[in-house]
Amino acid sequence: MMISAELRAGDPAAGDGARPLRLLAHEELAHPCDADALGFDTTDALEPLPTPLGQERALEALRFGVAIRHEGYNLYAMGPEGAGKQTAVTAVLEVRAASEPVPDDVCYVHDFDKPQTPRVLRLPAGKGRELTRAVARLIGELKQAIPAALEGDEFRAKKNAIEEQHKSEHEKSFQEVRELAEQKSVALLQTPMGFAFVPLRNGEPVKPDEFGELPPEEQARFEKEIESLSQLMRERLATLPKAEQELRRRVRALAKETILAAVGHLLDELRKQFEAFPRVGEHLDALGRDVVDNVGLFLKNEDGPGPAAIFGDGDSPLRRYQVNLLVDNGELSGAPVVYEDHPSYDNLVGRVEHRAQLGALTTDCLLIRPGALHRANGGYLLLDVRRLVTQPYAWDGLKRALSGRQVRILSLGQLLGFTSTVTLEPEPVPLDVKVVLLGERQLFYLLEQLDPEFHALFKVAVDFEDVVDRSLDNDRLYARLVATLVKQAKLLPFDRTGVARVIEHAARLADDSERLTAHVGMLTDLLREADHCAREAEAACVAEAHVEAAIRAEERRAGRVRERMLEEIHRGTVLIDTAGAKVGQVNGAAVYQVGRHAFGRPARITARVRLGRGEVVDIEREVELSGPIHSKGVLILSAFLGARYAPEHPLSLSASLTFEQSYGPVEGDSASCAELYALLSALADAPIKQSLAVTGSVNQHGEVQAVGGVNEKIEGFFDVCRARGLAGEHGFVMPAANVKHLMLRKDVVEAARAGTFKIYAVDTIDQGIELLTGVAAGAREPTGRFPEGTINRRAEDRLLELAKIRLAVGALPEAKIAVGADASLGQS
């Protein structure tokens, strides 16, 4: 079998070494801010920024979500933590809320017909407090008026008349029996055991022993008469309970009449005061009836039986007559804007508290407590979504309230069916609230994907930008943002050089010289720390030096891990070469994230090639230290090699790649360029300069693609080279697409200006391999071959050689089998 070494001319896999290599000028390594162009001396001269910078999309969505009043148009404000979402949303909501009507007060009152279900009273703002105080005054007046009325001379006289009449009727009934008995010579006596009839003889009671001496006929007569009288007495006694009941009824009726005369005008005044509110009138009517029915609650019983004994219930509390002002909006001038920082289930929907009384838990309508939904009703409620979803059943409680458009106070025990304590089931409160969730984008997408109810309830996404475009106009607006934050935090004024340095650092935080970070939290931290440095130096304003000192101090505080890693490189524990050249070895770069601090560090990447079946083995992947994106990058290398060097014959190599001295997970494709350079070096037997480090990802056509963390990677390799001495040969190879992201430290820029550290931008793998090896990459000629001696020609020749060896090795077993068969036939 013949293997062709030719490729079709013009094949896109044939490489392109014609494009020029770029050595970046020092002006391209950072985009400084011109302090003089900002046009002010200190931030005291700047007007505060009225709206968040660069958040037009978010503000447009926010205003839309607030203005539309249809059901389900609640909002989710998304963006990174510290991006100023809460501040921006609150500012917009407060402006909107100021022009909206104040919502009603909400009260709970005792339901005298259904004590376990307190009633809701909704009153205009301020009227709830007025009702609460009026009812409290009413109760106080009732406590004075009712005892006074029942202890007055008029009530006592009427009551005594009723009792005297009852007594007279009672005595008259017994007198009739006594007189009848006397007519029959029988006496009616009252003993400790009750009433008794005794025979009379000569006007004197007959003793028991004398009764036996009477003639039998007389004894029989007396017994018959006494039996008849006893039956009559029993009949008269049987009427006593009814008479007593009638007495109590008449006394109670008298008391009610007296009470109504004494307190009726008080209730009438209260009804008139709230006559515009029918539910209040209904409650006052029920309250008045209950007061009359339970007048004993207002009576003292300190000296034994008294007026309270007539009515009973003397020990019942008066709390049930009071009004629980659940939500008081009397102090508001517009709709409420509420932020609940602990959105637990109870804090959202409210709760019913209990009191320990005589070993038992009791409750009443005064122990109903409002939730954030009650307080924000008629306005706006802001919630942190991460805190919300981590609270048990809080998310479900919020959805239930929004879906049902009412707030029903149910304890978790009631909700889950575990409650054994007697509790209340308050009447639900109608809900009209706009909820704004504050959280990260990841949580938004997870909720939208996993919760089918989410989109129906939160239809408006308010997406805050992470960065804003950088221009002279935006630099000036950013200066106003700095001035706003300085005034809010009451810091020293910043001069224009200090603001210019803040803007430069904002571009570095954005990892883009053409962008500025919108992360207000990080910016505020920097301003505070720079203010501290200025005050330590007893400066009148914050200048560039103070901002720079704050930045370096923060890096120093977070730099222990970085310094230890660099130290191990300098001590030779971690092997990194910065001089000489080696085959199959290249300096890659990795970014480490420690908290909020990121830093770069060079990493040795090596490659070995041998005869195989076209496999590029990622050792990190084999031991499960490689992430999926890194593994994808390695697979792209196989595709690139096959397409460029072996489109018409088997790719017959086995290559292994690894990050040397790597003991943790490796993720990302930013090392795929370096890995490909190491493979090409090993195939072409071309040493790579160890004075250079590389980053970048590569596609199947050999084009170098942008990666993240390029500033940290360059600075990490620069620090290693500087510690060993910069000799002019050190540098860094990066994707040309990343040039716009460069915001390097001043010491790196100065080294580039002096020519002691060079930074190169490449568009293709061919450009990079030429720079790293000093050997031309070579472009495919019309003949289909690469020029002799180029990297691509040497790599292709090596792969052709491996393919021939593989074919030869693969044919040997077939030859041996054929010989064996012939021999066996010959023997037979």
Side-chain angles (χ1 to χ4, degrees):
M1 176 179 178
M2 181 177 293
I3 298 176
S4 174
E6 296 183 355
L7 287 178
R8 293 184 298 274
D11 192 320
D16 179 10
R19 279 185 266 181
L21 181 72
R22 286 182 61 199
L23 171 62
L24 298 182
H26 70 275
E27 293 88 356
E28 299 179 85
L29 305 185
H31 181 185
C33 178
D34 185 357
D36 293 331
L38 295 179
F40 65 92
D41 293 327
T42 70
T43 53
D44 285 342
L46 297 178
E47 292 294 326
L49 199 63
T51 58
L53 178 61
Q55 302 295 350
E56 289 78 13
R57 184 203 315 273
L59 293 176
E60 179 183 341
L62 181 59
R63 294 189 181 102
F64 165 77
V66 170
I68 189 168
R69 306 309 298 182
H70 294 288
E71 184 177 355
Y73 282 86
N74 297 294
L75 302 91
Y76 188 113
M78 68 180 85
E81 187 70 23
K85 302 185 297 294
Q86 182 178 344
T87 302
V89 169
T90 302
V92 172
L93 293 184
E94 287 179 345
V95 171
R96 174 81 184 189
S99 62
E100 295 181 348
V102 180
D104 291 343
D105 291 343
V106 179
C107 304
Y108 269 113
V109 293
H110 182 75
D111 190 326
F112 299 100
D113 296 325
K114 298 178 181 179
Q116 298 303 314
T117 309
R119 301 184 67 198
V120 171
L121 298 180
R122 299 187 65 178
L123 301 169
K127 285 291 184 179
R129 187 186 308 173
E130 187 177 329
L131 175 64
T132 303
R133 293 174 177 174
V135 172
R137 287 194 301 269
L138 173 66
I139 295 171
E141 291 172 351
L142 292 179
K143 290 169 66 176
Q144 300 294 327
I146 290 175
L150 297 182
E151 293 172 2
D153 294 339
E154 182 179 356
F155 174 77
R156 288 181 180 273
K158 292 181 179 180
K159 177 174 173 290
N160 289 338
I162 294 172
E163 290 175 345
E164 286 296 331
Q165 182 182 357
H166 171 74
K167 183 178 179 182
S168 174
E169 293 175 354
H170 176 66
E171 290 179 350
K172 180 181 178 181
S173 176
F174 284 102
Q175 183 61 30
E176 291 175 354
V177 176
R178 183 177 291 108
E179 290 175 356
L180 181 60
E182 289 177 354
Q183 292 174 9
K184 297 181 179 183
S185 299
V186 176
L188 175 61
L189 302 179
Q190 188 170 1
T191 68
M193 301 299 293
F195 292 97
F197 291 97
V198 179
L200 291 176
R201 194 169 188 185
N202 300 323
E204 295 293 332
V206 178
K207 296 180 180 180
D209 55 346
E210 293 176 354
F211 184 77
E213 297 176 357
L214 296 175
E217 298 81 3
E218 193 171 357
Q219 289 183 22
R221 185 182 66 80
F222 275 122
E223 289 175 355
K224 182 179 180 181
E225 297 293 347
I226 289 174
E227 177 61 27
S228 175
L229 291 170
S230 296
Q231 178 63 29
L232 180 60
M233 178 57 76
R234 283 193 293 270
E235 292 175 0
R236 297 296 175 91
L237 290 175
T239 63
L240 285 180
K242 292 183 179 180
E244 291 291 338
Q245 185 177 359
E246 177 62 19
L247 171 65
R248 289 194 295 270
R249 187 194 66 77
R250 293 177 64 187
V251 172
R252 192 180 294 273
L254 174 62
K256 289 183 179 180
E257 180 183 344
T258 304
I259 292 168
L260 287 175
V263 305
H265 67 284
L266 299 176
L267 288 169
D268 290 340
E269 290 176 3
L270 203 53
R271 291 190 190 96
K272 185 176 181 180
Q273 184 178 353
F274 294 94
E275 63 182 353
F277 312 107
R279 283 180 65 89
V280 176
E282 293 172 5
H283 173 67
L284 293 177
D285 291 342
L287 184 148
R289 291 192 297 270
D290 193 78
V291 167
V292 173
D293 292 339
N294 298 277
V295 69
L297 301 177
F298 297 89
L299 304 178
K300 298 181 180 179
N301 189 16
E302 300 175 354
D303 301 322
I310 302 172
F311 303 94
D313 297 332
D315 294 330
S316 297
L318 300 176
R319 291 171 57 87
R320 62 182 178 183
Y321 299 118
Q322 298 179 28
V323 176
N324 180 2
L325 181 54
L326 193 75
V327 179
D328 182 6
N329 292 321
E331 301 296 330
L332 297 181
S333 57
V337 178
V338 176
Y339 174 72
E340 176 55 59
D341 63 348
H342 181 50
S344 65
Y345 177 84
D346 286 346
N347 287 350
L348 280 178
V349 303
R351 64 189 183 278
V352 178
E353 295 180 344
H354 291 76
R355 294 179 302 161
Q357 193 172 37
L358 300 177
L361 293 177
T362 63
T363 187
D364 55 47
C365 72
L366 297 183
L367 295 179
I368 300 174
R369 299 292 180 256
L373 288 169
H374 294 101
R375 292 184 282 112
N377 200 4
Y380 305 92
L381 175 61
L382 283 74
L383 299 171
D384 185 287
V385 68
R386 182 177 292 276
R387 297 179 184 177
L388 176 67
V389 298
T390 55
Q391 292 293 327
Y393 299 97
W395 175 242
D396 289 336
L398 176 64
K399 291 193 298 180
R400 189 180 303 108
L402 293 177
S403 299
R405 305 193 71 177
Q406 62 180 11
V407 189
R408 183 182 296 276
I409 299 178
L410 289 176
S411 68
L412 285 177
Q414 290 174 288
L415 197 65
L416 302 176
F418 296 153
T419 298
S420 59
T421 304
V422 176
T423 187
L424 302 177
E425 296 182 6
E427 183 182 0
V429 178
L431 182 64
D432 178 19
V433 67
K434 188 77 73 172
V435 177
V436 182
L437 298 181
L438 308 169
E440 299 88 348
R441 293 185 180 89
Q442 182 180 10
L443 285 175
F444 173 82
Y445 298 130
L446 284 173
L447 287 170
E448 194 168 51
Q449 179 180 2
L450 300 177
D451 191 334
E453 298 175 301
F454 177 73
H455 182 72
L457 296 174
F458 294 90
K459 297 179 183 294
V460 183
V462 182
D463 198 351
F464 281 80
E465 296 285 355
D466 298 336
V467 295
V468 298
D469 291 338
R470 186 177 177 190
S471 63
L472 179 58
D473 289 340
N474 275 358
D475 281 356
R476 289 171 176 169
L477 288 175
Y478 211 84
R480 291 179 61 188
L481 172 62
V482 171
T484 303
L485 297 176
V486 165
K487 291 175 182 177
Q488 288 176 351
K490 299 180 180 179
L491 307 178
L492 291 174
F494 280 58
D495 68 14
R496 58 176 177 268
T497 65
V499 173
R501 185 66 186 94
V502 169
I503 292 173
E504 292 170 0
H505 190 65
R508 174 59 185 264
L509 292 176
D511 279 328
D512 195 330
S513 65
E514 299 174 359
R515 301 284 189 274
L516 298 171
T517 182
H519 198 293
V520 177
M522 297 175 65
L523 181 61
T524 302
D525 290 344
L526 174 61
L527 299 179
R528 289 170 176 163
E529 292 165 17
D531 172 83
H532 172 75
C533 293
R535 292 181 189 274
E536 289 286 312
E538 298 182 353
C541 61
V542 182
E544 178 183 8
H546 305 126
V547 178
E548 185 69 28
I551 294 171
R552 299 299 158 234
E554 195 276 334
E555 291 178 352
R556 168 70 176 167
R557 291 193 299 272
R560 185 187 65 83
V561 175
R562 169 181 169 275
E563 291 178 3
R564 292 295 174 267
M565 286 186 171
L566 290 175
E567 183 179 302
E568 294 307 314
I569 293 175
H570 301 328
R571 297 174 66 190
T573 306
V574 176
L575 302 179
I576 297 293
D577 291 332
T578 56
K582 291 188 178 181
V583 174
Q585 176 178 307
V586 67
N587 289 323
V591 175
Y592 292 81
Q593 189 79 32
V594 181
R596 291 171 53 181
H597 181 61
F599 63 91
R601 196 209 78 172
R604 175 180 287 182
I605 299 173
T606 60
R608 301 296 297 271
V609 296
R610 57 194 179 278
L611 180 64
R613 297 184 178 182
E615 299 175 341
V616 178
V617 177
D618 176 13
I619 294 178
E620 271 72 24
R621 181 184 180 188
E622 295 298 315
V623 297
E624 298 183 351
L625 285 177
S626 172
I629 298 177
H630 179 259
S631 298
K632 173 189 174 184
V634 174
L635 293 176
I636 288 175
L637 304 187
S638 299
F640 171 80
L641 292 176
R644 172 169 284 198
Y645 302 117
E648 298 178 357
H649 62 79
L651 187 62
S652 303
L653 89 163
S654 178
S656 60
L657 291 167
T658 188
F659 277 71
E660 303 290 356
Q661 293 185 288
S662 171
Y663 308 104
V666 176
E667 178 60 314
D669 64 350
S670 64
S672 56
C673 273
E675 291 168 330
L676 183 54
Y677 291 143
L679 274 175
L680 294 176
S681 170
L683 282 172
D685 194 27
I688 289 178
K689 299 174 186 177
Q690 300 301 297
S691 58
L692 299 175
V694 178
T695 191
S697 72
V698 63
N699 62 25
Q700 295 185 95
H701 298 291
E703 296 170 327
V704 177
Q705 302 170 143
V707 295
V710 64
N711 291 293
E712 289 80 5
K713 293 172 182 177
I714 294 173
E715 291 169 356
F717 187 65
F718 172 81
D719 289 338
V720 172
C721 296
R722 182 176 58 179
R724 294 177 175 178
L726 295 172
E729 61 181 1
H730 298 106
F732 199 93
V733 183
M734 57 170 284
N738 277 124
V739 173
K740 58 182 172 292
H741 300 136
L742 292 178
M743 281 298 294
L744 294 170
R745 295 191 320 240
K746 289 186 177 181
D747 53 350
V748 181
V749 175
E750 289 304 318
R753 185 200 300 269
T756 56
F757 190 82
K758 301 179 177 64
I759 299 176
Y760 302 92
V762 297
D763 292 294
T764 66
I765 286 295
D766 289 338
Q767 293 175 353
I769 197 66
E770 285 185 359
L771 176 63
L772 291 169
T773 61
V775 180
R780 200 173 289 280
E781 297 176 335
T783 61
R785 299 298 305 274
F786 291 104
E788 189 72 28
T790 61
I791 293 293
N792 285 326
R793 177 64 177 269
R794 291 159 67 174
E796 186 176 64
D797 288 347
R798 175 62 172 155
L799 288 172
L800 283 170
E801 180 185 351
L802 291 174
K804 292 177 181 178
I805 295 173
R806 178 183 175 189
L807 178 61
V809 171
L812 287 177
E814 297 177 5
K816 290 180 179 179
I817 293 173
V819 171
D822 291 343
S824 62
L825 289 172
Q827 291 176 354
S828 65

